[in-house]
């Protein structure tokens, strides 16, 4: 049997379903791969060897008993450490949650288990999903498998690196401003942010509740769609979950894979196609537009004038919500507690715990958000940002009257070297220049590898109307059928 770690999730599931490999063999092969490369990549914060093998044995037993298996049964999946996993450490990349073992599974993880996938471990991330490089993880950064001296994107750099390094065929990320798509782009993998409310936030450690969206990471578009279908759909435990079925993203991906985009209208976002991105990124983007045209798509330019205000609006809204969400980490209820000597007051213990438990970027966001929400400044900052959010939504609505989807580069630059943007928060924030508008609007968007610039991967972003997630999969799969997938140099 050829190396299962190189196979797509679709191929692995077929092997297991056909009895050519057991789920245990598949899982062990991935555990071995992790053991061989993860000291260099550091994609994982925790590898759940026992739990993964138990889940795999369960799949094998069900198959032996003749029970029907789901389309991803027996496939290992790496889970971003922002999702609760019962009894398995969940830190959100923060010292304040070190050694915390949640008493319950997030809905995403419950659905992964119910589908017979094999949760193999928890992936590294920027602390509380704030960052674009994983350099803000309290547990040290993850390396990009394409070049170990460069960042794998963030905040979900661990999930993207795990699949790019063949440590798992599938991973789960969460996208608040780009944390699935940007790591996908810079690691040459596929990352999809579903429609907000299309995937459940129950058990997702909250950063910015009106933006946070869990979603799939994979090496192919079809694999991402299959995972999306497993984790998506209404959840009564999340009050913002959409009570409608997820559109048929798998069928859309398979349709796209035929390479025919006749009748599909693509809108190039004028504001994101001229400047602000590296020349190599723009060149790869332009080549992709040509490819998509050859596949039959009709391409027009669409102006979205308010997109230029998305980044500043996001950096008021997201910190405001985080300042409220992170108030729960008080040294009493979860994880770390500092200074509880029987003498210090509750307030002193809370203050010491938060001072030592949170890293500098998290503290910066809490301070920004607290300021933006304070009385006297609320209207000028938070209120104004919410108005900009409405304008951005109007840009999307107007655009989707003219075209089926919008396209842009996913990120302005390829994977950058460690340390090159940590000195200036604004330079780090720019990584999400093109991904943030979608989060403010609530629609779905995907990043699909579209080429290389100076030997490093470039992603194309496809943005669709809310609850039209299928459209982006069709276009992404069509592009993939023309340009192929991208393999990093051997580790
Ligand atoms: N990089 C952005 C931030 O730091 C987005 C993060 C995310 O999507 N979780 O806020």
């Amino acid at each position: 049997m050829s190396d299962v770690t190189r196979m797509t999730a679709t191929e692995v599931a077929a092997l297991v379903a056909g009895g050519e490999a057991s789920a245990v063999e598949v899982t062990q092969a991935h555990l071995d791969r992790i053991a061989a490369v993860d000291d260099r990549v550091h994609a994982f914060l925790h590898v759940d060897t026992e739990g993964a093998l138990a889940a795999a044995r369960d799949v094998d037993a069900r198959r032996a008993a003749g029970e029907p298996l789901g389309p991803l049964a027996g496939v290992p999946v790496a889970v971003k450490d922002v999702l609760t996993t019962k009894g398995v450490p969940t830190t959100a990349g923060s010292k304040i949650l070190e050694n915390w073992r949640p008493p319950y599974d997030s809905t995403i993880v419950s659905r992964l288990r119910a589908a017979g996938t094999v949760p193999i471990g928890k992936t590294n991330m920027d602390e509380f999903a704030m960052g674009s490089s994983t350099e803000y993880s309290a547990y040290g950064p993850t390396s990009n498998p394409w070049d170990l001296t460069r960042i794998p994107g963030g905040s979900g750099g661990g999930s993207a690196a795990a699949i790019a390094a063949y440590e798992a065929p599938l991973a789960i990320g969460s996208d608040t401003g780009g944390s699935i798509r940007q790591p996908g782009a810079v690691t040459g993998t596929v990352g999809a942010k579903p429609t907000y409310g299309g995937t459940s936030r129950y058990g997702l450690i909250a950063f910015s509740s009106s933006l946070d969206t869990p979603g799939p990471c994979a090496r192919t578009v079809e694999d991402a769609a299959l995972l999306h279908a497993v984790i998506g759909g209404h959840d009564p435990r999340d009050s913002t979950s959409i009570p409608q079925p997820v559109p048929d993203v798998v069928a859309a991906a398979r349709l796209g894979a035929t390479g025919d985009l006749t009748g599909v209208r693509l809108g190039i976002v004028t504001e994101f196609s001229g400047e602000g991105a590296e020349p190599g990124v723009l060149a790869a983007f332009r080549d992709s537009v040509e490819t998509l045209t050859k596949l039959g798509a009709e391409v027009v330019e669409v102006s979205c004038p308010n997109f230029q205000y998305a980044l500043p609006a996001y950096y008021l809204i997201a910190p405001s919500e985080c300042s409220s969400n992170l108030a729960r980490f008080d040294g009493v209820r979860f994880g770390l507690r500092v200074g509880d000597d029987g003498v210090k007051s509750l307030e002193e213990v809370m203050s010491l715990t938060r001072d030592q438990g949170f890293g500098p970027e998290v503290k910066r966001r809490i301070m920004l958000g607290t300021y933006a929400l304070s009385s006297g400044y609320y209207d000028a900052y938070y209120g104004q940002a919410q108005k900009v959010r409405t304008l951005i939504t109007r840009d999307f609505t107007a655009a989707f009257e003219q075209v089926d989807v919008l396209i842009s580069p996913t990120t302005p630059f390829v994977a950058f070297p460690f340390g090159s943007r940590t000195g200036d928060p604004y330079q780090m924030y720019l990584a999400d220049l093109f991904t943030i508008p979608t989060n403010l609007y609530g629609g779905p968007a995907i990043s699909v590898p579209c080429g290389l610039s100076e030997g490093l991967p470039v992603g194309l972003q496809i943005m669709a109307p809310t609850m039209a997630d299928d459209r982006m999969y069709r276009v992404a799969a069509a592009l993939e059928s023309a340009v192929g997938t991208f393999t990093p140099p051997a580790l």
Side-chain angles (χ1 to χ4, degrees):
M1 189 173 63
S2 54
D3 184 357
V4 289
T5 66
R6 297 272 155 169
M7 294 180 186
T8 64
T10 311
E11 290 163 350
V12 170
L15 277 191
V16 173
E20 289 156 71
S22 68
V24 168
E25 284 168 330
V26 165
T27 301
Q28 192 58 55
H30 286 91
L31 289 169
D32 292 347
R33 174 74 182 167
I34 293 171
V37 301
D38 209 53
D39 56 337
R40 281 168 286 155
V41 180
H42 192 227
F44 287 89
L45 291 178
H46 179 81
V47 180
D48 187 17
T49 306
E50 301 287 295
L53 289 170
R57 277 194 296 272
D58 191 49
V59 171
D60 289 335
R62 278 167 42 205
R63 183 178 178 279
E67 286 177 35
L69 298 179
L72 290 177
V75 180
V77 47
V79 178
K80 190 177 180 183
D81 207 28
V82 72
L83 285 152
T84 59
T85 37
K86 189 174 179 179
V88 176
T90 301
T91 68
S94 182
K95 279 281 174 228
I96 213 161
L97 281 176
E98 195 165 21
N99 301 321
W100 183 56
R101 289 175 190 256
Y104 70 108
D105 274 334
S106 51
T107 294
I108 298 288
V109 170
S110 306
R111 289 187 181 177
L112 289 175
R113 294 194 200 287
T117 71
V118 176
I120 199 162
K122 307 297 290 291
T123 59
N124 197 15
M125 55 183 283
D126 288 293
E127 186 176 4
F128 286 106
M130 299 170 195
S132 300
S133 67
T134 72
E135 291 169 290
Y136 296 144
S137 166
Y139 303 98
T142 296
S143 285
N144 191 320
W146 285 79
D147 175 346
L148 297 175
T149 68
R150 290 174 187 265
I151 61 100
S155 61
S159 284
I163 55 176
Y166 300 97
E167 296 172 277
L170 298 173
I172 299 289
S174 69
D175 195 310
T176 304
S179 286
I180 292 176
R181 289 163 285 161
Q182 184 258 1
V186 301
T187 58
T189 58
V190 178
K193 174 219 172 295
T195 295
Y196 175 82
T199 43
S200 170
R201 288 184 298 110
Y202 179 77
L204 173 73
I205 296 173
F207 163 13
S208 181
S209 310
S210 77
L211 303 165
D212 297 342
T213 313
C217 313
R219 290 191 297 261
T220 68
V221 176
E222 185 186 21
D223 281 1
L226 283 161
L227 186 56
H228 190 145
V230 160
I231 61 173
H234 183 237
D235 178 13
R237 286 174 156 155
D238 171 359
S239 62
T240 56
S241 171
I242 298 174
Q244 276 174 43
V246 173
D248 195 343
V249 291
V250 176
R254 289 180 181 152
L255 173 64
T258 62
D260 182 8
L261 288 177
T262 311
V264 177
R265 295 165 305 163
L266 311 180
I268 298 182
V269 180
T270 311
E271 288 76 9
F272 288 172
S273 60
E275 51 198 60
E278 283 173 358
V281 168
L282 286 177
F285 175 67
R286 277 193 290 267
D287 287 349
S288 311
V289 171
E290 213 177 295
T291 306
L292 291 164
T293 312
K294 284 194 190 127
L295 298 174
E298 189 191 312
V299 184
V300 295
E301 273 215 21
V302 180
S303 175
C304 296
N306 295 294
F307 281 19
Q308 60 180 307
Y309 307 118
L311 197 71
Y314 172 89
Y315 277 100
L316 289 166
I317 293 168
S320 295
E321 293 186 15
C322 105
S323 71
S324 164
N325 274 325
L326 269 54
R328 77 194 60 180
F329 301 104
D330 54 9
V332 177
R333 287 173 284 190
F334 312 92
L336 187 73
R337 180 179 302 169
V338 180
D340 184 11
D341 55 6
V343 178
K344 287 190 189 65
S345 70
L346 176 63
E347 220 168 48
E348 285 171 307
V349 171
M350 283 182 180
S351 158
L352 282 169
T353 303
R354 288 169 67 84
D355 184 35
Q356 291 183 33
F358 289 138
E361 181 62 23
V362 171
K363 286 178 183 160
R364 176 164 29 239
R365 306 269 181 123
I366 293 173
M367 285 190 285
L368 263 172
T370 307
Y371 181 78
L373 290 176
S374 58
S375 92
Y377 292 109
Y378 183 95
D379 288 335
Y381 294 110
Y382 184 74
Q384 191 72 5
Q386 290 291 17
K387 287 181 190 160
V388 170
R389 190 171 186 175
T390 303
L391 293 177
I392 287 164
T393 298
R394 284 190 197 150
D395 278 358
F396 271 108
T397 312
F400 291 135
E401 277 166 16
Q402 301 171 59
V403 294
D404 299 306
V405 295
L406 290 170
I407 57 172
S408 75
T410 307
T411 57
F413 28 77
V414 294
F416 46 89
F418 285 123
S420 59
R421 287 177 189 265
T422 37
D424 179 355
Y426 185 66
Q427 289 304 316
M428 190 70 85
Y429 298 170
L430 280 176
D432 295 307
L433 192 60
F434 303 150
T435 48
I436 280 176
T438 290
N439 296 80
L440 294 173
Y441 157 61
I446 195 168
S447 177
V448 61
C450 73
L452 298 176
S453 166
E454 292 167 35
L456 293 167
V458 176
L460 175 92
Q461 176 177 228
I462 304 153
M463 298 164 266
T466 49
M467 287 312 273
D469 305 48
D470 47 341
R471 289 189 200 172
M472 67 183 189
Y473 279 102
R474 180 178 174 191
V475 177
L479 185 71
E480 183 185 69
S481 76
V483 302
T485 53
F486 294 82
T487 305
L491 277 171

